[in-house]
Amino acid sequence: MGSIAVFASGGGSNFEAIARRLEGTQHSIALLVCDRKAAYVHERAKALHIPVVSVSYVRNTREEVEHRLIEIIDTAGVDFIVLAGFMRLLTPLFVERFSGKIVNIHPALLPKYPGTRGIEESWESGDEKVGITIHYVDKGMDTGPVILQKEINRIPGESLEAMADRIHCLEHTWYPDVIFELLERQPENFPSQAQTRREKMT
Ligand code: GAR
């Protein structure tokens, strides 16, 4: 029986997809952390009866926010921190504190197009293959060891919106399953990161 904390800043479609995937299993989302008051993810959390921790990076420093989060996460005793559209960079201190326990999804085939414009930059690139990357978080930006990548072919003439829809669809299909698998593989679900790289889930 495992639990996770999901960190999100926006619409929360991945958050909801993960919550739905864990319904009826022995695993659950213990809490949602959100840094934006107006984010739609709040509505989803309310509907799903998942507690929300709101943090403000405007009134507090990154270190102050993270200090509070460490206390909350330690108290909740979650197994993983799942970043799902969380648009803040975590400090090296925080990442080290939860080393191997923070997972992120990125809407591009890393190492290409890290940052906040993964879909737009994939679309603008003209690359034949686009896709998603699910990875452990390290101290860099979108640089951690890859758990899973899924790619799709570009459709000639496809609009940015249409491609974004297909990428989100990939995310909602694979991220919940990866989270479920990580929770299922406990307590041996923290192989060394090198080992994880060799044994990518497919
Ligand atoms: C997702 O596409 C996710 O991959 C992306 O933010 C979106 C959040 O959507 N994350 C990043 O770009 C991280 N660099 P959601 O709020 O509907 O889940």
Side-chain angles (χ1 to χ4, degrees):
M1 178 170 160
S3 75
I4 57 173
V6 177
F7 287 23
S9 304
S13 64
N14 281 284
F15 163 73
E16 179 158 355
I18 294 165
R20 299 278 177 218
R21 177 66 182 85
L22 298 184
E23 272 171 10
T25 74
Q26 54 181 343
H27 311 302
S28 61
I29 300 180
L31 57 102
L32 167 75
V33 170
C34 184
D35 62 312
R36 288 191 192 153
K37 261 192 188 155
Y40 185 68
V41 69
H42 285 280
E43 305 305 317
R44 296 188 198 261
K46 206 183 292 171
L48 290 158
H49 307 290
I50 294 172
V52 181
V53 173
S54 290
V55 292
S56 169
Y57 283 79
V58 179
R59 285 194 302 274
N60 307 288
T61 64
R62 207 154 56 130
E63 287 71 19
E64 284 167 346
V65 170
E66 291 186 355
H67 183 72
R68 180 173 165 228
L69 286 178
I70 288 171
E71 279 182 3
I72 289 168
I73 288 162
D74 281 348
T75 304
V78 302
D79 301 290
F80 289 98
I81 294 169
V82 174
L83 308 185
F86 188 63
M87 296 306 185
R88 299 276 177 181
L89 203 56
L90 298 164
T91 64
L93 216 72
F94 188 92
V95 171
E96 224 157 70
R97 177 75 172 62
F98 297 105
S99 174
K101 293 192 172 198
I102 312 178
V103 182
N104 183 41
I105 187 157
H106 186 71
L109 295 171
L110 292 172
K112 286 182 169 180
Y113 321 124
T116 56
R117 298 186 68 252
I119 295 181
E120 289 84 350
E121 289 181 8
S122 296
W123 186 76
E124 287 157 8
S125 71
D127 290 352
E128 229 165 79
K129 306 261 185 210
V130 299
I132 61 165
T133 305
I134 298 166
H135 65 95
Y136 286 109
V137 172
D138 67 6
K139 293 179 202 165
M141 187 169 61
D142 299 327
T143 52
V146 170
I147 300 171
L148 177 78
Q149 282 192 311
K150 284 285 165 186
E151 55 183 39
I152 47 178
N153 290 321
R154 171 185 295 273
I155 298 171
E158 185 175 36
S159 67
L160 171 61
E161 292 69 27
M163 181 186 280
D165 280 350
R166 291 201 300 132
I167 288 175
H168 290 310
C169 200
L170 264 192
E171 293 188 322
H172 303 156
T173 302
W174 291 102
Y175 204 21
D177 274 353
V178 167
I179 301 305
F180 176 75
E181 284 301 322
L182 289 174
L183 287 166
E184 280 287 289
R185 278 157 49 184
Q186 296 207 68
E188 70 282 9
N189 61 355
F190 299 124
S192 76
Q193 299 196 333
Q195 188 185 348
T196 308
R197 246 194 312 266
R198 282 197 304 275
E199 296 172 1
K200 281 186 199 172
M201 296 181 195
T202 49

